[in-house]
Amino acid sequence: VPPPAVRERLLARLASPWILVRADEIDWRRDGLGLETRPLYREAAEGRATGLVRLMPGARHRRPRLAAIQELYVLQGDLTVEHERLGAGDYCAASGATVHGEAVSEGGCVFVLVTSERGGTLAHPAAPASRAGVTLVRASEGAWQAGAVAGVWTRQLSHDPTQGRITAHVRMAPGARLPAHRHLTAEQLYLLAGDAHIDGETLAPGDYYWTAAGTSHDVTYTESGCAFLLISSVVELLG
């Protein structure tokens, strides 16, 4: 039986429309073969899961058995997927039906992994080409687009037209403020650098934030500037 304080925090988190996972809050799961995973969130209704994967030098990562689509964003190190070597800031999306090999890291790496048990089609406006069901967007590829809010730029990595969801790399300049807004789909945010202030919480690099579809936010802002990986619908400004 958990202590009363722990139980209260857990119940409050389950009742909240959003979840915050700090960088040091969840232990890594080790498989003994040089692969470690750190789950962040699973959307049971859609069969989508988000987590971190860490490979030791020479370790291999096999596609999750039920994954129809998988997306990954390399945070650090090197990762070779279908004979393509990826580095920090590179993005890869693949259809499970067309990827049969394993991903391997020569020097070790860490990446964000998003998998979906449902099939579908992802569009990749920043990718120069797709090969054998694998699409790569290098850190140097894709144009940064200024949005409706000053000091906020987005580099779109993929678009799910069925769900109206995008995966994007977002930057905010020091002092930038995003007005009250709403996302039509669930929102996932993984902070890569800097600071972000959301719903009264201050996020630091490595922190992960999830909120349910239709949830409205008050002003989101950064003091020193930030960069984050975003998986959500296009923002609907409320004011």
Side-chain angles (χ1 to χ4, degrees):
V1 178
V6 174
R7 183 176 184 275
E8 290 177 6
R9 288 200 302 270
L10 176 59
L11 292 177
R13 171 172 291 187
L14 292 174
S16 172
W18 57 270
I19 290 174
L20 174 60
V21 181
R22 298 293 185 181
D24 59 352
E25 213 170 42
I26 299 178
D27 292 333
W28 290 85
R29 299 175 180 174
R30 299 172 175 83
D31 71 349
L33 299 176
L35 184 148
E36 300 178 349
T37 58
R38 184 170 179 260
L40 295 173
Y41 189 74
R42 176 175 172 78
E43 298 178 52
E46 296 187 13
R48 291 170 59 87
T50 301
L52 297 177
V53 178
R54 181 164 63 193
L55 299 181
M56 299 298 106
R60 298 174 179 272
H61 168 69
R62 182 180 296 275
R63 175 181 63 85
R65 183 174 60 86
L66 297 178
I69 295 177
Q70 62 177 343
E71 302 175 77
L72 62 87
Y73 182 92
V74 182
L75 300 173
Q76 61 186 56
D78 69 273
L79 183 69
T80 299
V81 180
E82 294 292 302
H83 309 294
E84 294 283 352
R85 186 182 177 92
L86 282 66
D90 290 346
Y91 165 89
C92 175
S95 166
T98 58
V99 178
H100 305 287
E102 297 174 312
V104 61
S105 179
E106 180 180 334
C109 70
V110 180
F111 56 91
V112 178
L113 178 67
V114 181
T115 62
S116 175
E117 297 173 8
R118 297 184 179 183
T121 301
L122 295 178
H124 305 276
S130 298
R131 181 180 63 83
V134 178
T135 301
L136 303 178
V137 180
R138 303 290 183 181
S140 60
E141 296 173 339
W144 287 93
Q145 303 289 334
V149 178
V152 180
W153 298 273
T154 301
R155 184 171 68 97
Q156 187 171 320
L157 302 173
S158 70
H159 173 225
D160 181 343
T162 303
Q163 299 294 327
R165 180 190 294 114
I166 66 169
T167 299
H169 184 189
V170 181
R171 294 190 311 201
M172 296 180 68
R177 300 174 66 87
L178 187 63
H181 60 281
R182 177 170 57 228
H183 292 272
L184 301 181
T185 69
E187 176 190 15
Q188 300 184 72
L189 185 155
Y190 183 87
L191 196 66
L192 302 170
D195 66 272
H197 300 260
I198 307 174
D199 288 334
E201 298 283 352
T202 300
L203 276 64
D207 289 348
Y208 167 85
Y209 176 91
W210 174 93
T211 187
T215 303
S216 297
H217 295 288
D218 201 349
V219 175
T220 296
Y221 67 96
T222 177
E223 294 180 348
S224 62
C226 66
F228 53 88
L229 184 67
L230 177 70
I231 304 174
S232 183
S233 62
V234 176
V235 170
E236 177 186 1
L237 299 181
L238 300 177

